[in-house]
Amino acid sequence: MAAVSRSSAAALIVTVAVGVAAAALPLFGASRYQQMLVYYVAYNLALGQSWNLMSGMTGYVSFAHGALAGIGAYATIIGMNAGVPLWLAVLAGAAAAILASLVIGITSLRLRGIAFTFATLFFQALTLLAVRKLPATGGPGGLPLQEILPIWLPQIMMIVLAVLATIAMVIIRRSRTGVRLLAIKGDETAALSLGIASARLKIMLFCASAAIAGLVGAVHGLFTASLYPDVVFSFDTSITALAVPLVGGVATAFGPVAGAVLFVGVGEILQIFAPGLHLVVVGALLLAVILFMPSGLVPFILSRFRDRRRFEASAANPRELVQ
Amino acid sequence: MTASATLALQLVANGLVVGGLLGLVALGLALIFGVMRVVNFAHGEFITLGAYITWLIAGGVGLSPFIGIPAAFLTGAVLGWIIQALLISRVMERPPLDALMVTYSLSILGLGLFSFFFGGDFRSYSEGPSGDLHLGAITVGVRSLSVLLVCLFLAAAAILLLRSARLGLAFRALAQNRDAAASSGINIRFIERLAFGLAVGLAAVAGSLISLVGTTTPTVGNDWVLEGFVVVVVGGMGSIPGALVAALLIGLVQSVFGYVFDDSWAKIITYLILYMTLLIRPQGLLGRATEMG
């Protein structure tokens, strides 16, 4: 038990240190481009962790995390333009996303199986149609942020968010709640019979996950400073939210870090060589990972490494092979 | 005949065409879910594939689009067979999340390929039937009428296949219990490939017909498959009669609300019907309470 908490303390310290280093990059003369890459890694990571918290831990796949982030973005920019202070507008973004998650969650999370996934899929499509219709959102023409913020502000906010989301994953994975969630993912009927209040737990977790997604959208809205419904509610954001953890390592705390770095890296390389092939590569990558390393890239590499060490140890001491 | 009665008949006629197309889409989805318990999120991309094949044959080569329909069916059926044999059969024994993610990845891959090769242009063609047919007071396009006839023919053929033939028996046996079907001598791998091939073939035909009455874009299938999902959920996941009844219902809803408000509102109302179904009757109109309930 002590070893576990020591290793999680170490993990938390490393996470915070990497976050502080990333936030301090401009002080060490990192170029505008490098800062941009760091921002996008943080954005993908925070979004991926918000999906990971709900769908990764419970197995209930959400296609709506892009829409939840989009709702957070709209709530924040509308708030800012109405003269609400920054911190309150960002919190309003989280609150709006929580409200939306309750709408999805209450209609579908009491059910088992595919109902939740359908509810999220249609929520995304419905939100895009509704935002285009509503006058308060500027319609298809878009909604600009009237106040001009220094660019470092959303950059640092996103890094803080990515660090906090990763810490949340570290903590929940090692908590009793985490064990309960994995029990639901493994066999929900068995989990129920052990007295786990699965519907309540799922809805609460989805709210927490949506709050992070809403915050990510809010900060990203401040970063881009203008919102267009077709961009904000494009399926690409929801695809990224699930692809980052699935490729890196679903239900792990640090797999999505590798996933986020890989995504930004692949995106940049494709920008140069084949800008039209982005979706093709994401689809093929996702397919390959699910077919050949279903637990994700990081757990796959780690297990290879462990197997090899075990094999070498047993080669040194043949008696272990018999056991 | 009064003007309002004519309008009502006209809307019903339009709704039947949309309902027929939705029926073909939903038939494939219900077949795949019924036999394999897999939700095919790539179904929309197979619709798009059929639409582009027909556009290439009619608009590109200049042949009749009615040659495009069997061509789309065959291409779709072969592709579906291969995808089931190479990809989906690998994850059938794994948790359901994996099969879902395989079809979803295929959907992303397909969308990317269509966007890459065909760009965002709206494609249509002038080959094939044209003109309007006046049936009493209502007007039906000859193209729409041919779409409706093909849909009716295929739906009837599919129902006959599932009701009477040995094949239908095997499909239903698999739907009820995969292990029991295998142990009673049904070649389940063959049946699963056949079901997936047939479903994808039907999706491609739907796409082929959609290209005849509408325009083809890389996302055309995506728009249709969302409504196809509403149909299978409302009809009861995996229930084929339920899917066909729900397809006509949603087709009429689209036609009427598309006329009274506009197409966006018709979609919003269709999606709200999905939420209402999940809330009030999660097993759907004709579905049995299974894992959805």
Side-chain angles (χ1 to χ4, degrees):
Chain A
M1 210 40 218
V4 170
S5 55
R6 200 177 303 147
S7 76
S8 62
L12 293 180
I13 290 166
V14 171
T15 312
V16 172
V18 170
V20 170
L25 269 183
L27 301 178
F28 298 106
S31 71
R32 213 55 215 96
Y33 177 66
Q34 286 160 339
Q35 289 180 42
M36 212 50 71
L37 288 185
V38 169
Y39 172 81
Y40 274 101
V41 169
Y43 169 62
N44 283 353
L45 176 57
L47 196 62
Q49 293 290 31
S50 79
W51 186 91
N52 205 14
L53 192 62
M54 171 67 198
S55 301
M57 292 301 285
T58 62
Y60 279 78
V61 175
S62 155
F63 289 148
H65 271 66
L68 294 173
I71 287 171
Y74 266 93
T76 302
I77 302 295
I78 290 172
M80 289 286 285
N81 287 350
V84 173
L86 176 73
W87 63 274
L88 204 60
V90 170
L91 283 184
I98 291 177
L99 217 62
S101 76
L102 278 174
V103 173
I104 307 174
I106 288 170
T107 46
S108 61
L109 272 173
R110 291 171 301 124
L111 306 171
R112 301 276 191 85
I114 200 77
F116 175 68
T117 301
F118 274 131
T120 59
L121 185 72
F122 285 97
F123 184 77
Q124 170 105 29
L126 207 52
T127 321
L128 176 59
L129 288 169
V131 170
R132 283 215 198 111
K133 291 265 171 211
L134 292 174
T137 57
L143 181 71
L145 174 62
Q146 276 146 16
E147 195 179 334
I148 295 168
L149 295 170
I151 195 71
W152 57 263
L153 188 64
Q155 276 178 355
I156 290 190
M157 285 167 88
M158 192 59 89
I159 291 169
V160 171
L161 211 51
V163 167
L164 289 181
T166 306
I167 289 175
M169 270 307 288
V170 171
I171 291 172
I172 201 150
R173 262 177 53 84
R174 298 187 175 175
S175 68
R176 275 170 174 278
T177 313
V179 176
R180 291 194 185 104
L181 294 173
L182 291 176
I184 291 174
K185 190 179 184 178
D187 185 341
E188 194 162 348
T189 311
L192 274 172
S193 69
L194 288 174
I196 296 172
S198 88
R200 211 184 63 194
L201 200 55
K202 285 184 290 186
I203 289 175
M204 278 167 59
L205 191 70
F206 190 38
C207 285
S209 165
I212 299 175
L215 290 172
V216 172
V219 175
H220 194 57
L222 297 175
F223 179 80
T224 56
S226 55
L227 304 177
Y228 299 97
D230 289 347
V231 177
V232 173
F233 295 103
S234 103
F235 273 98
D236 287 9
T237 321
S238 291
I239 293 172
T240 308
L242 67 89
V244 162
L246 276 172
V247 168
V250 66
T252 68
F254 295 105
V257 180
V261 172
L262 190 72
F263 255 69
V264 174
V266 167
E268 288 303 300
I269 293 167
L270 286 176
Q271 277 287 312
I272 301 165
F273 294 108
L277 280 177
H278 185 249
L279 274 182
V280 177
V281 172
V282 171
L285 196 66
L286 209 49
L287 191 60
V289 167
I290 290 151
L291 286 178
F292 302 114
M293 33 186 137
S295 52
L297 213 54
V298 170
F300 179 77
I301 293 169
L302 283 180
S303 73
R304 274 297 160 92
F305 190 63
R306 262 184 222 131
D307 286 353
R308 196 161 142 202
R309 272 211 311 220
R310 194 176 302 147
F311 179 74
E312 278 164 3
S314 56
N317 182 9
R319 204 174 295 166
E320 274 187 23
L321 269 181
V322 184
Q323 289 172 345
Chain B
M1 201 184 295
T2 62
S4 59
T6 313
L7 177 65
L9 269 179
Q10 184 72 53
L11 290 178
V12 168
N14 298 348
L16 283 179
V17 175
V18 178
L21 286 169
L22 279 177
L24 280 193
V25 174
L27 198 62
L29 286 170
L31 192 60
I32 293 174
F33 187 82
V35 172
M36 281 168 280
R37 301 280 130 185
V38 169
V39 176
N40 184 20
F41 281 103
H43 216 64
E45 276 54 49
F46 299 124
I47 298 174
T48 313
L49 178 76
Y52 275 117
I53 288 173
T54 313
W55 173 74
L56 283 173
I57 287 176
V61 186
L63 294 171
S64 162
F66 291 107
I67 296 173
I69 295 172
F73 180 80
L74 283 178
T75 317
V78 170
L79 188 67
W81 181 286
I82 294 173
I83 286 174
Q84 170 64 28
L86 291 184
L87 303 175
I88 296 174
S89 60
R90 283 171 169 274
V91 292
M92 287 293 288
E93 310 284 339
R94 292 207 216 147
L97 177 65
D98 288 39
L100 190 151
M101 289 321 301
V102 166
T103 62
Y104 189 61
S105 317
L106 283 173
S107 159
I108 300 171
L109 190 63
L111 188 60
L113 286 173
F114 292 127
S115 312
F116 185 71
F117 283 112
F118 296 103
D121 296 342
F122 290 73
R123 319 268 183 177
S124 56
Y125 48 83
S126 54
E127 279 75 11
S130 60
D132 290 329
L133 210 66
H134 299 280
L135 302 168
I138 62 168
T139 309
V140 183
V142 179
R143 283 191 169 196
S144 302
L145 197 65
S146 359
V147 166
L148 189 57
L149 288 178
V150 175
C151 290
L152 284 177
F153 169 74
L154 285 175
I159 287 175
L160 281 180
L161 190 75
L162 292 172
R163 291 268 160 200
S164 57
R166 280 174 67 88
L167 197 61
L169 206 61
F171 279 158
R172 273 175 287 143
L174 224 69
Q176 280 167 13
N177 189 330
R178 191 166 185 259
D179 293 335
S183 61
S184 53
I186 293 171
N187 184 347
I188 57 169
R189 288 194 339 167
F190 174 78
I191 297 295
E192 282 172 353
R193 284 169 197 179
L194 198 67
F196 207 85
L198 202 61
V200 171
L202 286 176
V205 170
S208 189
L209 296 171
I210 287 164
S211 80
L212 192 65
V213 286
T215 51
T216 303
T217 63
T219 55
V220 65
N222 243 313
D223 302 339
W224 278 87
V225 83
L226 282 180
E227 268 123 63
F229 282 138
V230 177
V231 167
V232 287
V233 171
V234 171
M237 295 289 290
S239 157
I240 284 170
L244 293 177
V245 170
L248 288 179
L249 198 76
I250 301 289
L252 288 175
V253 166
Q254 293 265 310
S255 161
V256 170
F257 287 101
Y259 174 81
V260 178
F261 304 108
D262 63 35
D263 284 349
S264 295
W265 277 113
K267 275 191 179 156
I268 291 176
I269 289 162
T270 310
Y271 299 164
L272 289 177
I273 291 176
L274 176 110
Y275 282 101
M276 296 309 286
T277 312
L278 288 180
L279 264 180
I280 298 164
R281 199 177 159 78
Q283 74 271 32
L285 288 178
L286 300 180
R288 273 160 294 143
T290 53
E291 65 179 72
M292 291 287 295

